[in-house]
């Protein structure tokens, strides 16, 4: 039996390298880009373990659950970790980063999430990058949720390790991911005796066996279908134009926020300031006395196709996420999501204005 996804010719080193080059162009970076054969947690952890150790003093910014994870990894590496936590309904500021450096001038590593799809906020990386660069610290950025939804510019922002994944705003596969690596970051890894070597987590293995060898021979068999899906995903973004793709996400976010405010029933944005809200997903606060996960469950029973989810963990009681990214960054999906939420709120006996919400979203 044959199938279009089976019995394909092996992916060549040249094609693999060409996909890396296209991802680099998407990031507008001259840094080395490594496509790793796993979900984005692979390069996220690999980059921290490669560059952090007992001599590291890390400023770990927490604006959502991933920041907490990064702090755990840094401590496990033996680093001294200074957590800068801000409420999940807001963003960190460059001034807060500056104050942290003033209080702890020994900081030599900064970890930050650009956009938190889990909490719906986005952080001002360009401004933060200026502060980090002025102090000479290594800058590590999780841009998995932001790439494709808003600008991600590692070179312009002074980011040394920028990790992306294709499964959200890019509308691509989850099984491969990428990281851009600066020369400073490579040097930090090379001098770190604890950096993973001969390991699936090792970025140094990719540098020594792949990049330094002129990208002529792959270190191991690539995830064929995931790589082809990534290539198709980047081709689609190139055809649409990255600016147009980002504008579609910004429009979906603005429409969702406006529609939710007009819907009534006590629903309101979780991220107070629209300027701090991420375009990849909109988070909403459930009305007082109403459990968010119950609202979402009813909304999905009305329309199983809408991209709604309750917040994770403790946030399941108060937060609703509208995941309008990738193929769901459309006016139709926003309208359907508002309609399903309106039905769920009405079922709870709350007054809603669905027509007003749809008009606000359309405007």
């Amino acid at each position: 039996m044959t199938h279009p996804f089976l019995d394909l010719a092996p992916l060549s080193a040249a094609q693999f390298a060409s996909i890396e080059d296209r991802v680099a162009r998407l990031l507008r970076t001259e840094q080395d880009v490594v496509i790793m054969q796993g979900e984005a947690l692979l390069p996220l952890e690999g980059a921290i373990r490669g560059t952090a150790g007992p001599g590291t003093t890390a400023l770990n910014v927490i604006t959502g659950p991933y920041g907490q994870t990064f702090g755990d990894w840094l401590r496990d590496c033996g680093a001294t970790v200074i957590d800068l936590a801000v409420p999940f309904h807001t963003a960190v500021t460059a001034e807060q980063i500056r104050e942290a450096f003033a209080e702890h001038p020994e900081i030599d590593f900064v970890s930050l999430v650009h956009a938190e799809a889990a909490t719906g906020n986005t952080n001002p990386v360009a401004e933060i990058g200026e502060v980090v660069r002025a102090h000479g610290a290594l800058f590590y950025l999780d841009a998995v949720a932001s790439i494709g939804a808003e600008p991600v510019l590692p070179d312009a922002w002074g980011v040394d390790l920028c990790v992306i994944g294709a499964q959200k705003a890019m509308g691509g596969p989850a099984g491969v991911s990428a990281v851009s690596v600066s020369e400073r970051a490579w040097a930090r890894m090379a001098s770190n005796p604890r950096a993973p070597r001969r390991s699936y987590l090792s970025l140094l293995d990719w540098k020594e066996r792949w990049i330094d060898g002129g990208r002529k021979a792959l270190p191991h068999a690539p995830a064929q279908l995931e790589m082809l899906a990534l290539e198709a995903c980047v081709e689609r973004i190139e055809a649409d134009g990255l600016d147009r793709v980002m504008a579609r996400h910004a429009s979906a976010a603005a429409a969702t926020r406006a529609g939710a405010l007009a819907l009534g029933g006590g629903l309101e944005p979780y991220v107070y300031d629209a300027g701090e809200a991420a375009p990849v997903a909109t988070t909403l606060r459930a009305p007082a006395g109403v459990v968010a996960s119950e609202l979402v469950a009813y909304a999905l029973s009305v329309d199983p196709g809408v991209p709604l989810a309750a917040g994770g963990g403790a946030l399941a009681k108060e937060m609703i996420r509208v995941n309008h990214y990738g193929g769901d960054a459309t006016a139709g999906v926003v309208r359907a999501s508002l309609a399903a939420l309106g039905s769920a709120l009405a079922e709870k006996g709350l007054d809603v204005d669905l027509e007003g919400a749809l008009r606000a979203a359309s405007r």
Side-chain angles (χ1 to χ4, degrees):
M1 296 178 65
T2 61
H3 191 284
F5 294 152
L6 302 175
D7 306 318
L8 297 172
L11 192 72
S12 68
Q15 187 174 5
F16 193 105
S18 75
I19 299 170
E20 284 184 335
D21 291 341
R22 294 174 90 157
V23 171
R25 287 195 295 272
L26 187 69
L27 291 169
R28 300 174 189 174
T29 183
E30 297 297 322
Q31 298 177 3
D32 290 325
V33 169
V34 178
I35 297 179
M36 299 193 77
Q37 305 297 284
E39 198 269 341
L41 282 172
L42 174 61
L44 285 169
E45 182 174 357
I48 281 180
R49 294 195 180 278
T51 51
T56 303
T57 300
L59 175 63
N60 180 53
V61 182
I62 302 175
T63 58
Y66 279 99
Q68 295 169 328
T69 298
F70 300 159
D72 292 340
W73 287 339
L74 286 161
R75 290 183 179 90
D76 192 53
C77 291
T80 299
V81 180
I82 299 155
D83 286 326
L84 171 55
V86 303
F88 288 179
H89 62 258
T90 187
V92 72
T93 67
E95 184 56 33
Q96 288 173 302
I97 303 295
R98 189 176 290 109
E99 290 170 359
F101 274 112
E103 188 174 350
H104 302 279
E106 69 275 17
I107 292 170
D108 62 357
F109 184 100
V110 175
S111 52
L112 175 70
V113 178
H114 187 185
E116 291 267 13
T119 51
N121 55 33
T122 190
N123 292 301
V125 182
E127 299 169 23
I128 291 169
E130 289 184 11
V131 178
V132 176
R133 190 162 51 243
H135 287 80
L138 207 70
F139 193 9
Y140 163 101
L141 184 70
D142 171 354
V144 174
S146 52
I147 182 67
E150 56 187 303
V152 177
L153 302 167
D155 290 13
W157 297 343
V159 178
D160 295 288
L161 295 154
C162 183
V163 177
I164 67 168
Q167 69 267 33
K168 288 189 168 66
M170 288 177 65
V176 288
S177 49
V179 54
S180 64
V181 187
S182 72
E183 287 301 323
R184 292 199 323 146
W186 284 132
R188 179 79 70 96
M189 286 183 222
S191 64
N192 181 9
R194 292 198 175 194
R197 291 168 170 82
R198 294 169 295 283
S199 163
Y200 205 59
L201 283 170
S202 177
L203 282 166
L204 281 175
D205 286 358
W206 279 95
K207 176 170 173 52
E208 294 167 0
R209 299 176 59 190
W210 171 242
I211 295 172
D212 292 349
R215 299 193 299 177
K216 301 296 184 184
L218 288 160
H220 53 74
Q224 168 100 326
L225 296 180
E226 298 283 355
M227 287 297 296
L228 294 174
L230 177 61
E231 182 178 44
C233 159
V234 175
E235 283 178 353
R236 185 167 61 183
I237 292 172
E238 291 171 347
D240 286 348
L242 179 58
D243 288 343
R244 185 177 177 187
V245 173
M246 291 190 295
R248 194 158 59 234
H249 284 82
S251 178
T256 302
R257 189 180 184 91
L261 284 167
L263 185 60
L267 201 65
E268 60 183 31
Y270 186 83
V271 178
Y272 299 159
D273 185 341
E276 296 177 344
V280 68
T282 298
T283 49
L284 304 169
R285 193 178 300 274
V290 177
V291 178
S293 57
E294 294 177 0
L295 271 182
V296 169
Y298 187 87
L300 290 174
S301 73
V302 172
D303 187 348
V306 293
L308 299 177
L315 295 175
K317 292 182 178 180
E318 60 178 323
M319 181 194 287
I320 300 161
R321 286 168 48 193
V322 187
N323 295 317
H324 45 66
Y325 52 70
D328 287 331
T330 68
V333 168
V334 171
R335 287 194 295 268
S337 299
L338 291 170
L341 283 172
S343 296
L345 290 166
E347 191 272 338
K348 292 289 185 183
L350 300 168
D351 292 330
V352 296
D353 179 7
L354 181 56
E355 290 305 316
L358 297 178
R359 285 195 301 271
S362 295
R363 282 197 299 271

